[in-house]
Amino acid sequence: MHYYTDVLKKYGSFQGRARRREYWMFALFNGIIVLVLVGLAAATKSTALYVLYAAYILAVVIPSVGLLVRRLHDTGRSGGWFFITFVPFVGGLVLFIFMVLEGNRGPNEYGPDPKGADVYPGAAGPYAG
């Protein structure tokens, strides 16, 4: 759950890098919350729950895009790659592949490695690799 709250703490941040785990755990929690809200709204036919669902979606748009950009940064790509999603059929697939790829080891132009040296045994410095 802390991955979800960590992303929300960086609400409008498009700087730095994000690990795969941070991205996918946030996606998992978002998916669960959305399914619960939509399921409850459909089961109760409650307009209030549909409004709550819409408000939730609007509330997490900015942190979701920020996290996506930071995840792209971790793979050494500019946040501009987000726009590939507008390419029909293949755009979403390409972006999905980028989200699955391991991030660059060590620092890159977007910041230090979020995993740190402890992930790379025998590394000679905090960001060696």
Side-chain angles (χ1 to χ4, degrees), residues 6-8 10-19 22 63 65-75 110:
D6 286 350
V7 170
L8 294 179
K10 300 174 189 170
Y11 191 84
S13 176
F14 292 80
Q15 308 266 321
R17 296 168 63 174
R19 295 175 63 180
E22 181 181 0
V65 174
L67 178 60
L68 181 108
V69 167
R70 290 192 310 273
R71 181 73 196 113
L72 285 167
H73 287 173
D74 192 42
T75 62
Y110 301 105

Side-chain angles (χ1 to χ4, degrees), residues 11-128:
Y11 191 84
S13 176
F14 292 80
Q15 308 266 321
R17 296 168 63 174
R19 295 175 63 180
R20 279 186 296 192
R21 180 179 291 174
E22 181 181 0
Y23 179 83
W24 289 109
M25 292 303 288
F26 185 75
L28 174 67
F29 282 112
N30 263 343
I32 291 169
I33 291 168
V34 165
L35 285 175
V36 167
L37 286 173
V38 168
L40 287 173
T44 63
K45 296 181 174 46
S46 169
T47 304
L49 285 173
Y50 280 114
V51 170
L52 181 61
Y53 162 72
Y56 177 77
I57 294 298
L58 288 174
V60 296
V61 165
I62 293 173
S64 297
V65 174
L67 178 60
L68 181 108
V69 167
R70 290 192 310 273
R71 181 73 196 113
L72 285 167
H73 287 173
D74 192 42
T75 62
R77 291 173 179 82
S78 146
W81 276 97
F82 164 77
F83 295 106
I84 198 166
T85 58
F86 297 115
V87 175
F89 307 111
V90 297
L93 179 63
V94 169
L95 194 63
F96 174 77
I97 290 169
F98 289 163
M99 296 300 104
V100 172
L101 291 175
E102 183 177 3
N104 294 352
R105 290 184 176 198
N108 67 16
E109 64 184 292
Y110 301 105
D113 188 343
K115 286 185 177 179
D118 57 332
V119 176
Y120 312 114
Y127 304 112

